[in-house]
Amino acid sequence: MNKKQITLKDIAKALNLSPSTVSRAMNNNPAISVETRDQVQRYAEEHKYKLNTLAFQLRTKRNNTIGVIVPEIVHFFFSSVLAGIQEEAESENYNILICHSNEDYKKEVKSVETLIDARVSGILASQSKNTNQYNHFQEIIDNEIHLVFFDRICTGINTDKVVVDDYAGAFNAVDYLAKTGCKRIAFLTSSSQMPIASNRRMGYEDALRKHKIVVDRSLIFTCDTRDLAFKVIPQILQSTNIPDAFFCINDEVAAYCLQMVKSFGFRVPEDISICGFTNGYITEVTDPELTTVDQHGHEMGNEAAKLLINRIEGKETKNGIVSKLIKTELIRRGSTR
Amino acid sequence: MNKKQITLKDIAKALNLSPSTVSRAMNNNPAISVETRDQVQRYAEEHKYKLNTLAFQLRTKRNNTIGVIVPEIVHFFFSSVLAGIQEEAESENYNILICHSNEDYKKEVKSVETLIDARVSGILASQSKNTNQYNHFQEIIDNEIHLVFFDRICTGINTDKVVVDDYAGAFNAVDYLAKTGCKRIAFLTSSSQMPIASNRRMGYEDALRKHKIVVDRSLIFTCDTRDLAFKVIPQILQSTNIPDAFFCINDEVAAYCLQMVKSFGFRVPEDISICGFTNGYITEVTDPELTTVDQHGHEMGNEAAKLLINRIEGKETKNGIVSKLIKTELIRRGSTR
DNA sequence: TCACTCAATGCACTCGATTGCATAGAAAAA
DNA sequence: TTTTTCTATGCAATCGAGTGCATTGAGTGA
């Protein structure tokens, strides 16, 4: 059909005007007479004129693309965040460029490069588990690109962030476990020094203290993946020191934990309670269904994108760091008493 | 640090050369002397010169961005495909722009517009369930943008596609159910006229015929979402016509089905077998674990991206439509005998 | 010494837009 | 009528690259 996209110049030629006039007419510049404006806009519409974004961006140095770095795509929480980001970005007319670091430091660095190369006007990032160098993130800032961390924030970099209230989430969950009679509550967590892990641990410990339960370090395990779950949990269940509850860093570990606890002959929740973290799809299909902490990923995505876009457009006036906290919600189901 | 990105012109000025020489030197043009080339490249490296993608693309009309339209992001299968696309795109130095139609025709149309506006050089799309007008997809082609459908292909448009072998997947699953003694195999499917549904139905029917089981239309139900599952399945289980197996269009429905079947007092798989489709995370956490058909989403993403990029770069020489078929694999677990 | 070749580089235009400044022409003021 | 003041428009430069063609100058052959 329309072989080539038509340009401002084409319109100008057709209407016997100069490209500048056409440009102004399209942008509703008041210097242009109403007749000319209407004529130009009508012609543009009829001939399906489309602004060449590349040229526009090159000229104006504006760029309505934001980059997103996620450690994992096939993942309930992160894909929820992604959906939230996408939703907000779309409503504000931004495009999103997605990079997948796959929990790999090197790919994370490469992702940052890619996004800087693409000259996005802002980046939303959640770091990989094992990232402990921050030069690449610093480079984003050095390139004067706005940066907002979400969920897995990077402590080494001083910038805006949106996080879930991990402390309160963990506190409430463990508080609930204790209230329902659990005394030996194990914590299956991540080895990482990321704030999401340390904050939850603080919530866990404070909740125990509230119930006058002594924090027992031998009940805290590094176990945040499928592989670790299959290795660590059987060991715990075979030990002489069997917990009466598991508070898990994510739903997957909780689900596998549930499976193994049952296969060892314990009843859930009568003998052992289990609580996850995220509230993903899988929590509704286990038997019994999993009690968990809803992380509101979609909302986090919304908020992070909103904050970033406000920064880009200069609408966020606060000079220092903006830190948004997303509330969590304890979802009680059958895996706890 | 480096306030502004440095440009070819800056390098030229610094080395007392013309921008054209610098450009050629950077591109290893043989017309440039080795000394000059090395000098330029060294300077560029030292000063962290970065090609301005916008300018490059404007000039060359090349654009290394491909757009992706998915009906759903928070979804095991689609996020797997996305990961596959991202992986392949990255290795070929393409960026991906993601649009989320959220199973909504209007958003799908808008997504197409967005991607055309962004002047992506190709689009990978999977249509929404209820899309039955195709003008927007046709417009992609009219704009001379390469288009490849994946999974949920659009029958109204004549273009490349990558699909899973739904027929064989369904055939093998139902064949297996029948082999293990099931005689009254219900099919919980989608009402949509999409090929993924009709092909699976053909597989289902052919497998039944192979085992001399008469196809009973009263055992075929529209049930492809959570809500429908909670409505339709109890009705089936209360009827006088209770199946001894459920073949479900996706894992979620299968998981909910499993739950309800158990809650109605039936044993799985002794009384009723259940089989899903996708092989997502949830199949491993149900009790018993779900038998399902692996759709190889990651591979589909890889293949679709590969095909699209080959089209863009003119490496796919076949003139007609290219149709790739991704093999499925029956994963046997505890929910079937 | 002169013409010719060829390697290395520069000039100037282009991609498709935006924008500061100049200008034409009409209307208003003197 | 002349000057002033706008209003509406055009000119030309610019963003950061790439590229056809012209140009320079050293080297070659006669």
Side-chain angles (χ1 to χ4, degrees):
Chain A
M1 308 284 268
N2 35 342
K3 280 265 190 288
K4 304 280 170 230
Q5 281 292 345
I6 93 170
T7 72
L8 282 192
K9 227 189 262 177
D10 297 328
I11 301 185
K13 212 174 294 170
L15 300 182
N16 213 11
L17 288 168
S18 78
S20 15
T21 304
V22 176
S23 168
R24 292 190 180 95
M26 290 303 294
N27 292 309
N28 296 315
N29 188 313
I32 300 298
S33 69
V34 184
E35 303 84 53
T36 309
R37 165 159 53 76
D38 291 351
Q39 184 197 20
V40 168
Q41 295 192 353
R42 209 173 323 115
Y43 186 93
E45 178 126 5
E46 278 166 16
H47 294 73
K48 297 197 181 178
Y49 165 75
K50 291 230 170 86
L51 175 69
N52 183 320
T53 322
L54 294 174
F56 175 83
Q57 292 177 172
L58 174 59
R59 183 63 231 253
T60 62
K61 304 207 174 268
R62 247 171 283 153
N63 178 319
N64 65 156
T65 316
I66 64 189
V68 183
I69 301 177
V70 282
E72 199 56 73
I73 294 184
V74 191
H75 187 288
F76 180 86
F77 175 65
F78 285 117
S79 58
S80 302
V81 177
L82 227 44
I85 291 172
Q86 157 73 39
E87 182 184 84
E88 180 65 25
E90 187 179 304
S91 82
E92 296 292 325
N93 264 309
Y94 277 74
N95 290 327
I96 67 175
L97 219 52
I98 294 192
C99 287
H100 180 196
S101 67
N102 205 18
E103 300 284 14
D104 177 18
Y105 168 72
K106 276 189 199 146
K107 289 193 75 179
E108 188 175 284
V109 173
K110 204 187 154 198
S111 298
V112 168
E113 275 172 28
T114 302
L115 293 178
I116 293 180
D117 281 358
R119 286 182 158 66
V120 296
S121 38
I123 293 178
L124 292 169
S126 204
Q127 69 161 38
S128 297
K129 277 182 189 164
N130 48 5
T131 294
N132 44 27
Q133 277 185 274
Y134 315 128
N135 302 340
H136 54 308
F137 289 133
Q138 186 58 47
E139 201 168 336
I140 295 176
I141 296 174
D142 291 346
N143 274 279
E144 297 188 318
I145 295 174
H146 297 277
L147 173 63
V148 173
F149 280 111
F150 63 91
D151 195 52
R152 304 229 205 120
I153 63 172
C154 171
T155 48
I157 299 287
N158 216 21
T159 188
D160 294 343
K161 45 182 160 279
V162 179
V163 289
V164 98
D165 193 345
D166 288 294
Y167 174 85
F171 183 90
N172 292 335
V174 175
D175 180 47
Y176 177 73
L177 290 171
K179 269 186 192 152
T180 56
C182 302
K183 306 243 175 283
R184 306 188 36 71
I185 304 172
F187 182 26
L188 305 187
T189 183
S190 164
S191 67
S192 158
Q193 69 290 56
M194 286 189 296
I196 62 162
S198 53
N199 288 336
R200 289 188 204 173
R201 171 143 177 190
M202 277 163 42
Y204 163 80
E205 296 191 356
D206 284 357
L208 291 184
R209 286 190 199 104
K210 174 183 164 191
H211 289 271
K212 315 258 190 258
I213 301 176
V214 178
V215 175
D216 179 355
R217 300 185 117 234
S218 73
L219 282 176
I220 299 175
F221 304 89
T222 291
C223 178
D224 59 345
T225 63
R226 186 199 140 103
D227 289 350
L228 279 171
F230 281 111
K231 210 177 99 185
V232 174
I233 298 171
Q235 289 173 4
I236 302 175
L237 295 173
Q238 282 165 349
S239 74
T240 56
N241 191 15
I242 298 177
D244 58 6
F246 285 93
F247 174 52
C248 309
I249 192 92
N250 60 44
D251 288 341
E252 287 73 37
V253 168
Y256 294 127
C257 182
L258 170 60
Q259 249 181 3
M260 283 179 273
V261 165
K262 286 198 296 181
S263 76
F264 269 76
F266 297 100
R267 291 166 305 162
V268 178
E270 293 81 357
D271 301 327
I272 296 180
S273 289
I274 297 177
C275 177
F277 211 107
T278 291
N279 195 27
Y281 288 140
I282 65 170
T283 56
E284 285 196 324
V285 300
T286 55
D287 185 11
E289 298 181 21
L290 275 174
T291 291
T292 189
V293 178
D294 194 319
Q295 274 182 292
H296 298 154
H298 193 277
E299 184 188 343
M300 174 179 285
N302 269 194
E303 291 297 325
K306 210 173 284 180
L307 175 55
L308 180 64
I309 292 174
N310 282 342
R311 280 292 191 202
I312 292 170
E313 302 187 344
K315 290 181 192 158
E316 175 59 61
T317 49
K318 197 176 161 191
N319 269 328
I321 292 174
V322 174
S323 249
K324 284 202 193 175
L325 209 57
I326 306 292
K327 282 208 196 71
T328 60
E329 186 182 352
L330 183 66
I331 310 289
R332 296 184 194 89
R333 297 207 185 87
S335 68
T336 51
R337 302 178 210 169
Chain B
M1 308 285 266
N2 35 342
K3 279 268 188 291
K4 305 280 169 230
Q5 282 292 347
I6 97 170
T7 72
L8 283 191
K9 225 188 266 177
D10 297 329
I11 301 185
K13 211 173 295 168
L15 300 182
N16 212 12
L17 289 168
S18 78
S20 14
T21 304
V22 176
S23 168
R24 284 190 260 260
M26 290 303 294
N27 292 308
N28 296 315
N29 187 314
I32 300 299
S33 70
V34 184
E35 302 85 52
T36 309
R37 166 160 51 78
D38 291 352
Q39 185 196 18
V40 168
Q41 295 191 354
R42 210 174 320 116
Y43 187 94
E45 178 126 6
E46 276 167 16
H47 293 73
K48 296 195 180 178
Y49 165 76
K50 291 226 171 88
L51 176 68
N52 183 321
T53 323
L54 295 174
F56 177 82
Q57 293 179 171
L58 174 60
R59 183 63 232 256
T60 60
K61 305 207 175 266
R62 247 171 284 153
N63 178 319
N64 63 155
T65 315
I66 64 189
V68 183
I69 300 177
V70 281
E72 199 58 72
I73 294 183
V74 190
H75 188 288
F76 180 86
F77 175 66
F78 285 117
S79 59
S80 302
V81 177
L82 226 43
I85 292 173
Q86 156 74 38
E87 183 184 83
E88 181 64 25
E90 187 178 303
S91 83
E92 295 292 326
N93 265 310
Y94 278 75
N95 290 326
I96 67 175
L97 219 51
I98 293 192
C99 287
H100 180 198
S101 66
N102 205 19
E103 300 285 13
D104 176 18
Y105 168 72
K106 277 190 199 147
K107 289 193 75 178
E108 187 175 285
V109 173
K110 206 188 152 196
S111 297
V112 168
E113 276 173 28
T114 302
L115 294 178
I116 294 180
D117 281 358
R119 283 182 158 65
V120 296
S121 38
I123 292 178
L124 292 169
S126 203
Q127 69 160 39
S128 297
K129 277 182 189 165
N130 49 5
T131 294
N132 44 27
Q133 279 185 272
Y134 315 128
N135 301 340
H136 53 308
F137 289 133
Q138 186 57 48
E139 200 167 337
I140 295 176
I141 296 172
D142 291 345
N143 275 279
E144 297 188 319
I145 294 174
H146 298 278
L147 174 63
V148 173
F149 281 111
F150 63 91
D151 195 51
R152 304 229 205 119
I153 64 172
C154 171
T155 48
I157 300 286
N158 216 19
T159 189
D160 294 344
K161 45 183 161 278
V162 179
V163 289
V164 98
D165 193 346
D166 288 294
Y167 174 85
F171 183 92
N172 291 336
V174 175
D175 180 46
Y176 179 71
L177 290 170
K179 269 185 193 151
T180 55
C182 302
K183 305 242 175 284
R184 307 190 34 71
I185 304 172
F187 182 25
L188 304 187
T189 182
S190 163
S191 67
S192 158
Q193 70 290 55
M194 287 188 296
I196 62 162
S198 53
N199 288 336
R200 288 188 205 172
R201 172 143 175 189
M202 278 162 41
Y204 163 80
E205 296 191 357
D206 285 358
L208 291 183
R209 286 190 200 103
K210 172 182 167 193
H211 289 271
K212 315 256 191 261
I213 300 176
V214 177
V215 175
D216 178 353
R217 302 186 115 234
S218 73
L219 282 176
I220 299 176
F221 305 89
T222 291
C223 178
D224 59 346
T225 62
R226 186 200 140 104
D227 289 350
L228 280 171
F230 281 111
K231 211 177 98 185
V232 174
I233 298 170
Q235 288 173 6
I236 303 175
L237 295 173
Q238 282 164 350
S239 73
T240 56
N241 191 15
I242 298 177
D244 58 6
F246 284 93
F247 174 52
C248 309
I249 193 92
N250 59 45
D251 288 341
E252 287 74 36
V253 168
Y256 295 127
C257 182
L258 170 61
Q259 251 181 3
M260 283 180 273
V261 164
K262 287 199 296 181
S263 76
F264 269 77
F266 297 100
R267 291 167 305 161
V268 177
E270 293 82 357
D271 302 327
I272 296 180
S273 288
I274 297 176
C275 177
F277 211 108
T278 291
N279 195 25
Y281 288 140
I282 66 171
T283 57
E284 285 196 325
V285 300
T286 55
D287 184 11
E289 297 180 23
L290 276 173
T291 290
T292 189
V293 178
D294 195 319
Q295 274 182 293
H296 298 155
H298 193 277
E299 184 188 345
M300 174 179 285
N302 269 193
E303 291 297 326
K306 211 173 282 180
L307 175 54
L308 180 65
I309 291 173
N310 281 342
R311 280 293 191 201
I312 292 171
E313 302 186 344
K315 291 180 191 159
E316 176 58 62
T317 48
K318 197 175 162 192
N319 269 327
I321 291 175
V322 174
S323 250
K324 287 202 191 174
L325 210 57
I326 306 292
K327 282 209 196 70
T328 59
E329 186 182 353
L330 184 66
I331 309 291
R332 297 184 192 88
R333 296 208 185 87
S335 68
T336 50
R337 302 178 210 170

